[in-house]
Amino acid sequence: MRLGLTKSLKLSDVFGLGFMTFAFYLGAGNIIFPPLAGFMAGEHLLAAMCGFLLTAVGLPLITLIAVAKGSSGGGAGGWTGMTRYLPAGVATALAITIYIIMGPAFAIPRTGLVAYEMGLKPWLGDSGHEGLLIYTLSFFALVILVSLDRGKLLDAIGKYLTPALMAMLLILAVGVFMAPQGTMPDASGEYISAPLTKGMLEGYNTMDTLASLMFGALIIGLLRQKGIEDYRSQFKYLTIAGLISAVGLSAVYVSLFQLGNSAGGVASDVSNGGAIVNAYVLSLFGQPGQFILAAIITLACFTSAVGLLCAGADYFHGLTGWAYRNWVLLLGAPCALVANVGLSQLISLSIPVLVAIYPVAIALVLVTFLKRWFAHPRLVFRGVLAVAFLFGCLDGLGAAGMKMDGFAFLPLFDQGLAWLMPTLLACMVGILVRPGAKLAAEAA
């Protein structure tokens, strides 16, 4: 009898896993932010798009791989492995913060709002607050219903819903490149002087780096349900899923950037990306195009909401031992109420929080990859994350509109990246300071 064998996934399951991961990421922010960025970038399209792809595709992919790498350290989905050098209370508080932000506080309610604003409102017109309430209650009731049985996620989303979504996105992308509807607008705002950095900051708004910490844990749990128990296989399949989703997201972002960049004279309302896409699709495909757009938006937001809710419920189930289904109901029910705050208000509230917490998530990923170079990983992990949190809070307060002129001397402070140089410096110090040569012992 041979021991240590593990099951392997069929090719169809591998692609299903990758498509499911892509669908989880492709939600509200992924569709509304790129068109607006493309419109405002004007002649600086390439630089802005590269910055956006760096933080909206590159960072989430690296984070997903870091979660897979962290799974060698034990714990569900690699979170315990990634945070094993942090105090247990700090690691738990950080996880809870991320799951709440990506759950009922911001990300999940935003999916319902965008689905309403872009999927239903163009057909029915403004039906007032009552219409939004009825829609969001129905939307999140269906999200909860699908999320209650996470075992069927791979088949329901990866093999059926996502291919339909990708087919509709392909139709839109071909139309954008083959028959541009307008002209290139002039660059505006911060895209004139710093398009690369502005694009990077816009990529934050997708929340996908934070989502990777959640989705990585969820996907590893799904792999275990499929009998994939060993670290090497989990790492391989999670990395493949991440690469498939990265390719898909890149294609979507490039086409949406191009849409926004050729919307001059087409969109009269450029206050948000949703309005730009609506006007462009109406011009490109006519009234039938509105049906395609409504289907794209609704499917994208729905699959993303399901993924986020499942990941949150799965984490809190593991943390408390309370039934998974109870957590689905507890986390899902408030989403409809939060969604009724309104899209613009929800985005304005979420940006300062994201600007503050993102540096901590990025720093955690960075030290996870560099840990074998640290002689004292426990000290370095805590120091680097403390620095990232401290300076991230400064950026967050600035994004909230507070006057922070006293910190203007910090490198990149005016671009909302005051945390970057201090965090990188803390990592360098952690690598260079190596008393006692304890690298091999402590990094194991």
Tab-separated table of all heavy atoms in Angstrom, residues 63-64 67-68 75-80 82 99 150 211-224 238 310-311 314-315:
chain	number	residue	atom	x	y	z
A	63	THR	N	-0.690	38.116	-4.040
A	63	THR	CA	-1.293	37.838	-2.737
A	63	THR	C	-1.868	36.429	-2.694
A	63	THR	O	-1.719	35.715	-1.695
A	63	THR	CB	-2.396	38.865	-2.425
A	63	THR	OG1	-1.837	40.179	-2.473
A	63	THR	CG2	-2.981	38.628	-1.048
A	64	LEU	N	-2.519	36.022	-3.773
A	64	LEU	CA	-3.076	34.673	-3.829
A	64	LEU	C	-1.970	33.627	-3.713
A	64	LEU	O	-2.110	32.627	-3.005
A	64	LEU	CB	-3.845	34.489	-5.143
A	64	LEU	CG	-4.922	33.404	-5.180
A	64	LEU	CD1	-6.028	33.709	-4.176
A	64	LEU	CD2	-5.504	33.302	-6.583
A	67	VAL	N	-0.817	33.435	-0.166
A	67	VAL	CA	-1.712	32.628	0.660
A	67	VAL	C	-1.403	31.150	0.467
A	67	VAL	O	-1.352	30.367	1.428
A	67	VAL	CB	-3.187	32.917	0.324
A	67	VAL	CG1	-4.111	31.980	1.092
A	67	VAL	CG2	-3.536	34.367	0.663
A	68	ALA	N	-1.173	30.755	-0.783
A	68	ALA	CA	-0.811	29.363	-1.058
A	68	ALA	C	0.514	29.009	-0.399
A	68	ALA	O	0.670	27.933	0.185
A	68	ALA	CB	-0.720	29.137	-2.564
A	75	GLY	N	-2.722	25.829	9.238
A	75	GLY	CA	-3.902	26.662	9.359
A	75	GLY	C	-4.728	26.663	8.096
A	75	GLY	O	-4.277	26.348	7.022
A	76	ALA	N	-5.997	27.029	8.248
A	76	ALA	CA	-6.918	27.019	7.125
A	76	ALA	C	-6.524	28.059	6.108
A	76	ALA	O	-6.465	29.242	6.391
A	76	ALA	CB	-8.346	27.277	7.626
A	77	GLY	N	-6.275	27.598	4.891
A	77	GLY	CA	-6.067	28.509	3.786
A	77	GLY	C	-4.793	29.298	3.851
A	77	GLY	O	-4.584	30.204	3.066
A	78	GLY	N	-3.877	29.009	4.750
A	78	GLY	CA	-2.608	29.712	4.759
A	78	GLY	C	-2.586	30.979	5.593
A	78	GLY	O	-1.521	31.563	5.788
A	79	TRP	N	-3.733	31.444	6.117
A	79	TRP	CA	-3.734	32.670	6.914
A	79	TRP	C	-2.905	32.488	8.178
A	79	TRP	O	-2.127	33.369	8.543
A	79	TRP	CB	-5.170	33.061	7.283
A	79	TRP	CG	-5.210	34.285	8.157
A	79	TRP	CD1	-5.396	34.335	9.495
A	79	TRP	CD2	-5.012	35.638	7.733
A	79	TRP	NE1	-5.335	35.635	9.949
A	79	TRP	CE2	-5.104	36.451	8.884
A	79	TRP	CE3	-4.770	36.244	6.499
A	79	TRP	CZ2	-4.962	37.839	8.829
A	79	TRP	CZ3	-4.634	37.631	6.446
A	79	TRP	CH2	-4.737	38.403	7.601
A	80	THR	N	-3.048	31.338	8.833
A	80	THR	CA	-2.260	31.084	10.041
A	80	THR	C	-0.779	31.055	9.720
A	80	THR	O	0.052	31.567	10.467
A	80	THR	CB	-2.682	29.759	10.698
A	80	THR	OG1	-4.073	29.818	11.012
A	80	THR	CG2	-1.894	29.502	11.962
A	82	MET	N	0.708	32.652	7.226
A	82	MET	CA	1.147	34.013	6.882
A	82	MET	C	1.331	34.880	8.125
A	82	MET	O	2.178	35.773	8.149
A	82	MET	CB	0.133	34.663	5.942
A	82	MET	CG	0.083	34.079	4.545
A	82	MET	SD	-1.122	34.923	3.503
A	82	MET	CE	-0.290	36.500	3.213
A	99	TYR	N	-12.231	40.906	6.689
A	99	TYR	CA	-13.465	40.198	6.340
A	99	TYR	C	-14.700	41.084	6.500
A	99	TYR	O	-15.675	40.931	5.753
A	99	TYR	CB	-13.604	38.929	7.182
A	99	TYR	CG	-12.811	37.774	6.629
A	99	TYR	CD1	-11.552	37.454	7.127
A	99	TYR	CD2	-13.311	36.995	5.588
A	99	TYR	CE1	-10.812	36.394	6.615
A	99	TYR	CE2	-12.596	35.938	5.068
A	99	TYR	CZ	-11.339	35.644	5.584
A	99	TYR	OH	-10.622	34.593	5.053
A	150	ARG	N	-21.728	25.768	-0.126
A	150	ARG	CA	-20.458	26.117	-0.769
A	150	ARG	C	-19.903	24.952	-1.582
A	150	ARG	O	-19.076	25.145	-2.463
A	150	ARG	CB	-19.430	26.543	0.273
A	150	ARG	CG	-19.231	25.519	1.369
A	150	ARG	CD	-18.345	26.014	2.468
A	150	ARG	NE	-18.477	25.154	3.634
A	150	ARG	CZ	-17.711	25.218	4.691
A	150	ARG	NH1	-16.752	26.099	4.741
A	150	ARG	NH2	-17.892	24.414	5.709
A	211	ALA	N	-9.320	40.980	-1.204
A	211	ALA	CA	-10.146	39.826	-1.562
A	211	ALA	C	-9.304	38.567	-1.726
A	211	ALA	O	-9.768	37.463	-1.423
A	211	ALA	CB	-10.919	40.116	-2.851
A	212	SER	N	-8.061	38.721	-2.195
A	212	SER	CA	-7.199	37.555	-2.390
A	212	SER	C	-6.940	36.823	-1.083
A	212	SER	O	-6.831	35.596	-1.058
A	212	SER	CB	-5.870	37.970	-3.017
A	212	SER	OG	-6.036	38.348	-4.356
A	213	LEU	N	-6.795	37.576	0.002
A	213	LEU	CA	-6.586	36.947	1.304
A	213	LEU	C	-7.787	36.089	1.687
A	213	LEU	O	-7.642	35.045	2.334
A	213	LEU	CB	-6.344	38.021	2.369
A	213	LEU	CG	-5.062	38.843	2.207
A	213	LEU	CD1	-5.052	40.011	3.189
A	213	LEU	CD2	-3.833	37.978	2.403
A	214	MET	N	-8.981	36.523	1.254
A	214	MET	CA	-10.190	35.769	1.552
A	214	MET	C	-10.367	34.602	0.577
A	214	MET	O	-10.622	33.477	0.976
A	214	MET	CB	-11.406	36.690	1.468
A	214	MET	CG	-11.365	37.883	2.401
A	214	MET	SD	-12.732	39.034	2.116
A	214	MET	CE	-14.152	38.014	2.488
A	215	PHE	N	-10.219	34.901	-0.711
A	215	PHE	CA	-10.470	33.876	-1.723
A	215	PHE	C	-9.450	32.744	-1.653
A	215	PHE	O	-9.778	31.583	-1.922
A	215	PHE	CB	-10.457	34.493	-3.122
A	215	PHE	CG	-11.602	35.433	-3.388
A	215	PHE	CD1	-11.482	36.441	-4.335
A	215	PHE	CD2	-12.793	35.324	-2.694
A	215	PHE	CE1	-12.536	37.306	-4.587
A	215	PHE	CE2	-13.849	36.195	-2.930
A	215	PHE	CZ	-13.716	37.192	-3.881
A	216	GLY	N	-8.211	33.081	-1.306
A	216	GLY	CA	-7.192	32.042	-1.186
A	216	GLY	C	-7.588	31.001	-0.157
A	216	GLY	O	-7.477	29.789	-0.395
A	217	ALA	N	-8.067	31.475	0.998
A	217	ALA	CA	-8.507	30.552	2.049
A	217	ALA	C	-9.708	29.733	1.598
A	217	ALA	O	-9.791	28.525	1.838
A	217	ALA	CB	-8.852	31.338	3.316
A	218	LEU	N	-10.659	30.400	0.915
A	218	LEU	CA	-11.856	29.703	0.449
A	218	LEU	C	-11.505	28.629	-0.582
A	218	LEU	O	-12.002	27.498	-0.521
A	218	LEU	CB	-12.842	30.705	-0.161
A	218	LEU	CG	-14.118	30.115	-0.772
A	218	LEU	CD1	-14.969	29.440	0.293
A	218	LEU	CD2	-14.917	31.208	-1.481
A	219	ILE	N	-10.621	28.967	-1.530
A	219	ILE	CA	-10.273	28.023	-2.598
A	219	ILE	C	-9.535	26.814	-2.034
A	219	ILE	O	-9.764	25.673	-2.453
A	219	ILE	CB	-9.438	28.729	-3.685
A	219	ILE	CG1	-10.305	29.780	-4.397
A	219	ILE	CG2	-8.907	27.729	-4.704
A	219	ILE	CD1	-9.521	30.733	-5.275
A	220	ILE	N	-8.640	27.046	-1.083
A	220	ILE	CA	-7.951	25.914	-0.461
A	220	ILE	C	-8.956	25.011	0.249
A	220	ILE	O	-8.852	23.779	0.215
A	220	ILE	CB	-6.859	26.411	0.505
A	220	ILE	CG1	-5.686	26.982	-0.297
A	220	ILE	CG2	-6.370	25.283	1.408
A	220	ILE	CD1	-4.563	27.554	0.543
A	221	GLY	N	-9.959	25.618	0.890
A	221	GLY	CA	-11.010	24.814	1.511
A	221	GLY	C	-11.772	23.985	0.489
A	221	GLY	O	-12.087	22.810	0.732
A	222	LEU	N	-12.051	24.574	-0.681
A	222	LEU	CA	-12.737	23.832	-1.744
A	222	LEU	C	-11.858	22.708	-2.286
A	222	LEU	O	-12.346	21.623	-2.607
A	222	LEU	CB	-13.123	24.787	-2.876
A	222	LEU	CG	-14.203	25.834	-2.550
A	222	LEU	CD1	-14.380	26.803	-3.705
A	222	LEU	CD2	-15.525	25.156	-2.221
A	223	LEU	N	-10.548	22.964	-2.389
A	223	LEU	CA	-9.631	21.922	-2.843
A	223	LEU	C	-9.608	20.754	-1.871
A	223	LEU	O	-9.564	19.583	-2.277
A	223	LEU	CB	-8.220	22.505	-3.009
A	223	LEU	CG	-7.997	23.420	-4.216
A	223	LEU	CD1	-6.615	24.060	-4.146
A	223	LEU	CD2	-8.157	22.654	-5.522
A	224	ARG	N	-9.653	21.059	-0.587
A	224	ARG	CA	-9.675	19.991	0.417
A	224	ARG	C	-10.944	19.163	0.304
A	224	ARG	O	-10.926	17.949	0.514
A	224	ARG	CB	-9.534	20.600	1.816
A	224	ARG	CG	-8.112	21.077	2.107
A	224	ARG	CD	-8.020	21.819	3.414
A	224	ARG	NE	-6.628	22.175	3.707
A	224	ARG	CZ	-6.259	23.093	4.578
A	224	ARG	NH1	-7.172	23.754	5.257
A	224	ARG	NH2	-4.991	23.357	4.773
A	238	LEU	N	-3.886	26.444	-6.761
A	238	LEU	CA	-4.237	27.820	-6.422
A	238	LEU	C	-3.481	28.801	-7.313
A	238	LEU	O	-4.032	29.821	-7.749
A	238	LEU	CB	-3.925	28.098	-4.942
A	238	LEU	CG	-4.425	29.427	-4.366
A	238	LEU	CD1	-5.909	29.609	-4.618
A	238	LEU	CD2	-4.139	29.498	-2.875
A	310	CYS	N	-19.271	33.663	0.972
A	310	CYS	CA	-18.810	32.311	1.331
A	310	CYS	C	-17.486	32.370	2.083
A	310	CYS	O	-17.286	31.660	3.075
A	310	CYS	CB	-18.655	31.458	0.081
A	310	CYS	SG	-20.212	30.956	-0.673
A	311	ALA	N	-16.568	33.210	1.589
A	311	ALA	CA	-15.257	33.317	2.229
A	311	ALA	C	-15.385	33.853	3.648
A	311	ALA	O	-14.742	33.351	4.584
A	311	ALA	CB	-14.339	34.222	1.406
A	314	ASP	N	-17.042	31.224	5.897
A	314	ASP	CA	-16.105	30.128	6.130
A	314	ASP	C	-15.072	30.507	7.188
A	314	ASP	O	-14.744	29.704	8.079
A	314	ASP	CB	-15.402	29.781	4.816
A	314	ASP	CG	-14.658	28.464	4.894
A	314	ASP	OD1	-15.293	27.447	5.183
A	314	ASP	OD2	-13.432	28.462	4.676
A	315	TYR	N	-14.574	31.752	7.126
A	315	TYR	CA	-13.579	32.185	8.115
A	315	TYR	C	-14.188	32.239	9.520
A	315	TYR	O	-13.610	31.709	10.483
A	315	TYR	CB	-13.010	33.559	7.751
A	315	TYR	CG	-12.146	34.113	8.857
A	315	TYR	CD1	-10.858	33.643	9.060
A	315	TYR	CD2	-12.644	35.078	9.738
A	315	TYR	CE1	-10.080	34.113	10.108
A	315	TYR	CE2	-11.872	35.562	10.784
A	315	TYR	CZ	-10.585	35.069	10.963
A	315	TYR	OH	-9.820	35.531	12.005
